[in-house]
Amino acid sequence: MMSIATDDVYLNGDYLPLSQAKISVLDRGFLFGDGVYEVIPAYAGRLFRLEQHLSRLDRSLDAILMQNPLSHDEWERALNRLLQNNQDQDYAVYLQITRGAAQGRDHSFPPDLKPTTFAMAYPASQPDAELIARGGSAITLPDIRWHLCHIKAITLLGNVLLRQQAFADGAVEAILIRDGYAYEGSTSNIFVVRDGRLTTPPDSDLLLPGVTRDLVIELAEANNLSLILAPITERELSMADEIWLTSSTKEVLPITRLNDEPVGAGVHGPVWQRIQDLFRHYKEQLRAGQVA
Ligand code: PMP
């Protein structure tokens, strides 16, 4: 469970203690879930792939007809200020922008609303080493979400219910199936390995283009691993030698049981081990300030 350890949070240009950060109950984020967000890990105070996260934020805002209230430089300054006393361990930064508060409650919105801009930093625990060693279990569930999953919207009720069902089943994640294809997890992207070849679904409206996923793709390509961007059928998922989930908080998590059956040999596989080593190396370089 995350707890906010920083003195201050960022709200609409001010830095103030969490207890003093207040917004209107008419905020459309509160009333309609009308807003977008990002979660950005910070390793030893260095933000992980900041530019990629901020570009995705711009794309999410564009898709909901909003403009970014801050430039990328302003975001960088604001987020680094939240992290300035928090470099002793790994943190994550959460930021969200909502359409702001209107006079009343109407689904349609007036053009001139002032967005509500919020960010906070909190300690991020490293992915559980034992879980990584053992691998997690996942279940498949029908994707009950809407059709604009490429937007990182704060409207997360579908994801919340799916993830909760996975937890209730003792699984770490639900892998979501739509029309016979696996697109992503409820809070993560998916990769499968079959006969040494890595596959992840291509970008589409039906999945979030994960920043962690994009780094894994980059690392695989730079290191001559066999990788294709292609749809994954439910059957291909069930026949995979390896399944992994990626996200800012999970990093690259091997899934060794799917729907109570072992995945491949039921232990994490050699392709995962290779990517895990490359990913760890990247993180160490980031901590040392050698990569952005
Ligand atoms: N898909 C969904 C639905 C997610 O919620 C997330 C993480 N929030 C991801 C994929 C992974 O994205 P990232 O690697 O940028 O954390």
Side-chain angles (χ1 to χ4, degrees):
M1 197 63 56
M2 95 179 187
S3 64
I4 316 300
T6 54
D7 306 329
D8 287 339
V9 298
Y10 172 92
L11 185 63
N12 298 326
D14 295 326
Y15 297 86
L16 64 181
L18 181 65
S19 60
Q20 288 172 27
K22 301 269 167 34
I23 60 159
S24 165
V25 290
L26 290 182
D27 193 280
R28 292 179 60 92
F30 182 56
L31 293 182
F32 294 107
D34 186 353
V36 297
Y37 75 108
E38 284 292 325
V39 178
I40 312 175
Y43 300 115
R46 294 182 206 275
L47 288 156
F48 172 80
R49 306 226 122 188
L50 178 63
E51 204 43 45
Q52 286 86 342
H53 279 282
L54 293 178
S55 301
R56 183 172 65 186
L57 178 66
D58 287 338
R59 293 197 301 278
S60 294
L61 286 165
D62 207 39
I64 67 162
L65 312 176
M66 283 186 71
Q67 280 173 4
N68 201 331
L70 300 186
S71 69
H72 287 196
D73 283 349
E74 287 168 330
W75 271 120
E76 186 167 4
R77 275 196 294 280
L79 301 183
N80 278 324
R81 179 161 164 182
L82 293 179
L83 289 168
Q84 69 193 357
N85 299 323
N86 296 320
Q87 305 193 350
D88 50 320
Q89 61 169 100
D90 293 340
Y91 278 75
V93 168
Y94 175 86
L95 65 91
Q96 94 167 34
I97 303 167
T98 71
R99 205 178 301 278
Q103 281 312 311
R105 183 183 177 280
D106 188 338
H107 286 58
S108 62
F109 44 86
D112 51 357
L113 287 183
K114 191 173 162 308
T116 303
T117 308
F118 172 67
M120 63 186 175
Y122 52 90
S125 47
Q126 284 294 297
D128 179 347
E130 204 205 314
L131 175 65
I132 291 184
R134 188 171 20 97
S137 62
I139 56 171
T140 50
L141 289 177
D143 195 345
I144 55 171
R145 302 172 304 160
W146 69 337
H147 286 82
L148 298 177
C149 303
H150 62 301
I151 303 173
K152 201 161 169 61
I154 60 171
T155 333
L156 284 170
L157 203 43
N159 308 60
V160 165
L161 293 175
L162 289 159
R163 179 72 181 272
Q164 192 59 29
Q165 195 169 333
F167 273 20
D169 272 35
V172 294
E173 181 61 304
I175 296 179
L176 308 180
I177 309 291
R178 205 190 283 252
D179 299 329
Y181 290 93
Y183 283 95
E184 62 175 343
S186 70
T187 60
S188 55
N189 291 112
I190 55 166
F191 287 80
V192 299
V193 177
R194 174 85 189 182
D195 297 331
R197 190 169 70 173
L198 191 52
T199 307
T200 194
D203 284 353
S204 77
D205 291 0
L206 299 180
L207 60 88
L208 186 78
V211 172
T212 321
R213 160 192 180 261
D214 288 349
L215 175 60
V216 166
I217 292 172
E218 251 180 67
L219 292 173
E221 285 174 343
N223 291 278
N224 298 319
L225 298 186
S226 164
L227 166 90
I228 55 164
L229 301 182
I232 298 171
T233 63
E234 196 171 0
R235 187 174 149 73
E236 283 164 343
L237 183 73
S238 67
M239 292 176 53
D241 299 327
E242 300 182 26
I243 300 175
W244 326 331
L245 301 175
T246 63
S247 77
S248 297
T249 44
K250 289 188 183 60
E251 299 185 351
V252 189
L253 176 69
I255 293 299
T256 49
R257 292 189 76 75
L258 180 70
N259 296 330
D260 282 330
E261 300 285 336
V263 175
V267 291
H268 60 68
V271 188
W272 172 82
Q273 187 62 62
R274 176 88 180 103
I275 281 289
Q276 174 73 350
D277 293 345
L278 292 166
F279 194 87
R280 285 229 166 113
H281 179 63
Y282 180 92
K283 269 174 56 180
E284 289 320 312
Q285 283 182 306
L286 180 61
R287 282 203 174 91
Q290 290 159 358
V291 290

